[in-house]
Amino acid sequence: MSNLSPNHFKARRAEAAKSLDKNSFLLLSSSKSLIRNNDTTFPFRQDSNFYYLTGFEEPESVLMLSSEGESTIFCRKKNPDLEKWDGYMYGIEGAKDILKFDNAYDIADITNIVPELIRGSKSIYSLVGKDNAFDNNIIGWITKANSLERHQGNIDLKNYSNALGYQRLIKGDEEVELMRNSCEIAAQAHKEVMKNVQVGMSEFDLESMYLNEFRKRGSRFPSYNPIVAGGKNACVLHYIDNNQAINDGELVLVDAGCEYGLYASDITRTYPINGKFSSEQKAIYDVVLEAHDQACEAARVGNSCLEPQRVSERAISQGLKDLGFLKESLDEILDKQLFREYYYHKIGHWIGLDVHDDCPYFLDGNEIKFEKNMAMTIEPGIYVNDSAPIDDRWKGIGIRIEDDILVTENGHENLTASVPSSADQIEELMLS
Ligand code: GLY
Ligand code: MN
Ligand code: MN
């Protein structure tokens, strides 16, 4: 059962229904159960958009929501034989009564039922482009429905992705609570591992420690594959092999977050495996931290959601210039994006049910402005690859600092602040 009550999901459906054309329907599909290999599946994880409007965590399900707010769930029939193997199923009556849908049908009958229900309607909304097979089903149902109503106009197919993404952008108080838990579990895990690492431990050792700390604190799954990157592996942004030695004197970059109640946290800290930054490591670290702090300040009500990006580019460019990495003027560095040699990803992303929350950054061609209870990661980084046009002593240093930021009425709250971020605080924690 979801951490949230069926009434929360009912309220979200009521909100979504308001934005549909009259005499129209929204159709959403659950995730599929995914094969890992042969007959072994990955643990089931519900599609976040589907979950957001249903709270229902079974595969092979479809939600149909009418513009009048009437909800219909299509799901699997209860099957006592299958329950002996895979566990409890809500079944059709269970889903309707327990999760408070207005109607419920067997998913096996959906192809016959949907065209009848949508015939003569104005528009069908769906998350066009997210699931080709489901898109094709919808097109087939619309074609069938149109053929049943030859004397009426054709049904429009509309993309509801931005509208639902915008609804998901502003977190309800109950979502913020789950995010707080997720962030605090991940922050405590980072702290605990940082206190206990020692020279001689490998990337794999650290990964195991993080996953164990998440689980000990109530989170079964990480919210993405952790990145545990020693030395120059940190310059590979999506490094997930996590199987190399970490040498004395090297930094390790750990990007690891967990899931709690399906809400994600996403934290990166970069620290010396021996507990003490070298002068080069600290010099770059301080530039990243300055960019991080300035970008966090830019996440405030009324600012564009792209303002932290611009602020971080400026701060990192200034820092790279001060370090002597770039010789050009600040304007030229920014205009020609020369900083991208060392800072080659974006400042962050929306976070919530998905670590990269499925929410827009633009609406109707305009940058979205921060509002209270939006949540974004702030994660600037500097990475000095072997190919960089710079003295060798800097090479192989990769640093990112990432926190999860909640926009508040008067500024922001750093939900992951309990894990230290300054070089001094990190050394103090590690050497304590
Ligand atoms: N952990 C993925 C990211 O930071 O975006
Ligand atoms: Mn992130
Ligand atoms: Mn991350």
Side-chain angles (χ1 to χ4, degrees):
M1 186 89 173
S2 164
N3 294 58
L4 302 175
S5 78
N7 282 335
H8 277 117
F9 299 100
K10 202 170 167 187
R12 289 177 186 165
R13 290 194 292 274
E15 189 61 32
K18 283 192 222 156
S19 60
L20 305 178
D21 290 342
K22 291 274 163 283
N23 185 27
S24 297
F25 295 92
L26 168 65
L27 284 163
L28 284 187
S29 171
S30 68
S31 296
K32 295 175 183 59
S33 176
L34 289 177
I35 298 287
R36 182 175 186 274
N37 60 300
N38 190 19
D39 55 357
T40 304
T41 55
F42 286 104
F44 182 71
R45 167 55 159 85
Q46 189 55 282
D47 174 82
S48 297
N49 286 310
F50 182 84
Y51 177 80
Y52 183 80
L53 291 183
T54 63
F56 191 44
E57 293 190 72
E58 290 188 14
E60 295 178 59
S61 316
V62 168
L63 170 71
M64 182 169 178
L65 177 66
S66 82
S67 45
E68 283 63 50
E70 189 175 342
S71 60
T72 301
I73 190 83
F74 293 86
C75 64
R76 302 174 305 179
K77 266 200 320 209
K78 210 165 175 59
N79 179 339
D81 287 335
L82 192 58
E83 284 182 298
K84 286 182 186 161
W85 289 81
D86 292 342
Y88 175 78
M89 301 165 79
Y90 276 88
I92 297 167
E93 288 309 314
K96 179 170 179 285
D97 297 342
I98 301 168
L99 298 175
K100 302 197 174 182
F101 297 104
D102 298 308
N103 314 296
Y105 297 107
D106 186 347
I107 187 76
D109 297 330
I110 193 166
T111 297
N112 294 328
I113 295 173
V114 169
E116 286 293 344
L117 294 178
I118 66 174
R119 63 192 284 185
S121 62
K122 178 172 183 326
S123 308
I124 295 300
Y125 293 81
S126 76
L127 306 180
V128 178
K130 302 237 187 259
D131 176 343
N132 288 348
F134 191 61
D135 287 351
N136 283 334
N137 286 343
I138 290 177
I139 290 166
W141 296 331
I142 289 176
T143 305
K144 179 82 191 297
N146 286 339
S147 77
L148 296 171
E149 292 286 352
R150 290 204 190 285
H151 292 177
Q152 297 206 13
N154 289 321
I155 296 169
D156 288 326
L157 174 58
K158 294 191 170 174
N159 191 348
Y160 197 64
S161 299
N162 283 335
L164 186 54
Y166 194 74
Q167 188 178 342
R168 281 178 55 184
L169 251 186
I170 301 168
K171 272 57 183 180
D173 291 342
E174 76 287 355
E175 294 183 280
V176 170
E177 231 13 73
L178 292 172
M179 291 187 70
R180 255 184 225 297
N181 268 320
S182 180
C183 287
E184 193 51 26
I185 291 170
Q188 291 306 325
H190 273 262
K191 261 179 93 166
E192 194 59 26
V193 178
M194 286 161 79
K195 272 200 281 195
N196 288 301
V197 294
Q198 290 171 11
V199 174
M201 288 179 173
S202 67
E203 294 171 349
F204 184 75
D205 292 328
L206 268 63
E207 181 187 68
S208 312
M209 290 161 81
Y210 277 87
L211 294 175
N212 189 42
E213 293 300 331
F214 292 162
R215 290 192 158 184
K216 271 163 51 183
R217 292 172 168 75
S219 162
R220 184 168 174 212
F221 295 113
S223 46
Y224 51 92
N225 293 319
I227 296 166
V228 184
K232 69 180 187 181
N233 292 335
C235 300
V236 179
L237 297 181
H238 287 167
Y239 177 82
I240 53 169
D241 290 346
N242 305 346
N243 61 3
Q244 297 298 302
I246 306 167
N247 300 311
D248 194 4
E250 283 183 338
L251 296 174
V252 58
L253 180 156
V254 181
D255 185 341
C258 66
E259 206 170 76
Y260 182 82
L262 270 69
Y263 282 80
S265 48
D266 184 5
I267 301 179
T268 307
R269 289 294 183 270
T270 311
Y271 48 91
I273 192 71
N274 63 15
K276 187 89 189 129
F277 285 89
S278 72
S279 58
E280 286 83 5
Q281 290 165 350
K282 174 140 184 346
I284 297 179
Y285 194 94
D286 286 345
V287 172
V288 178
L289 185 64
E290 177 63 22
H292 166 278
D293 292 352
Q294 289 188 26
C296 287
E297 286 303 315
R300 57 171 50 249
V301 170
N303 271 2
S304 159
C305 70
L306 301 187
E307 190 59 14
Q309 176 69 35
R310 292 187 270 267
V311 164
S312 70
E313 289 177 1
R314 179 167 283 271
I316 285 192
S317 296
Q318 183 62 57
L320 291 170
K321 191 169 158 54
D322 294 344
L323 289 174
F325 283 32
L326 296 170
K327 311 276 183 233
E328 295 78 358
S329 71
L330 185 58
D331 284 346
E332 194 176 350
I333 294 170
L334 288 166
D335 286 350
K336 295 187 177 160
Q337 303 224 322
L338 303 177
F339 59 83
R340 290 183 64 80
E341 170 73 33
Y342 302 100
Y343 173 34
Y344 39 87
H345 58 74
K346 296 287 188 205
I347 185 64
H349 46 84
W350 302 122
I351 184 166
L353 279 169
D354 297 302
V355 63
H356 297 168
D357 223 15
D358 190 7
C359 303
Y361 296 80
F362 277 77
L363 219 47
D364 301 325
N366 299 311
E367 295 174 7
I368 286 179
K369 292 199 164 133
F370 285 117
E371 293 178 45
K372 184 175 166 220
N373 278 14
M374 291 182 175
M376 180 179 260
T377 67
I378 294 293
E379 49 180 305
I382 291 179
Y383 313 90
V384 191
N385 282 271
D386 286 343
S387 57
I390 188 79
D391 195 272
D392 281 352
R393 68 196 168 100
W394 300 101
K395 289 185 176 163
I397 298 178
I399 293 172
R400 178 162 68 253
I401 305 169
E402 176 174 26
D403 281 305
D404 301 345
I405 301 300
L406 179 72
V407 178
T408 60
E409 214 158 288
N410 302 311
H412 72 269
E413 179 185 346
N414 181 349
L415 299 177
T416 46
S418 57
V419 49
S421 54
S422 78
D424 287 349
Q425 289 169 333
I426 288 175
E427 286 182 348
E428 194 184 316
L429 176 72
M430 293 184 71
L431 300 175
S432 63

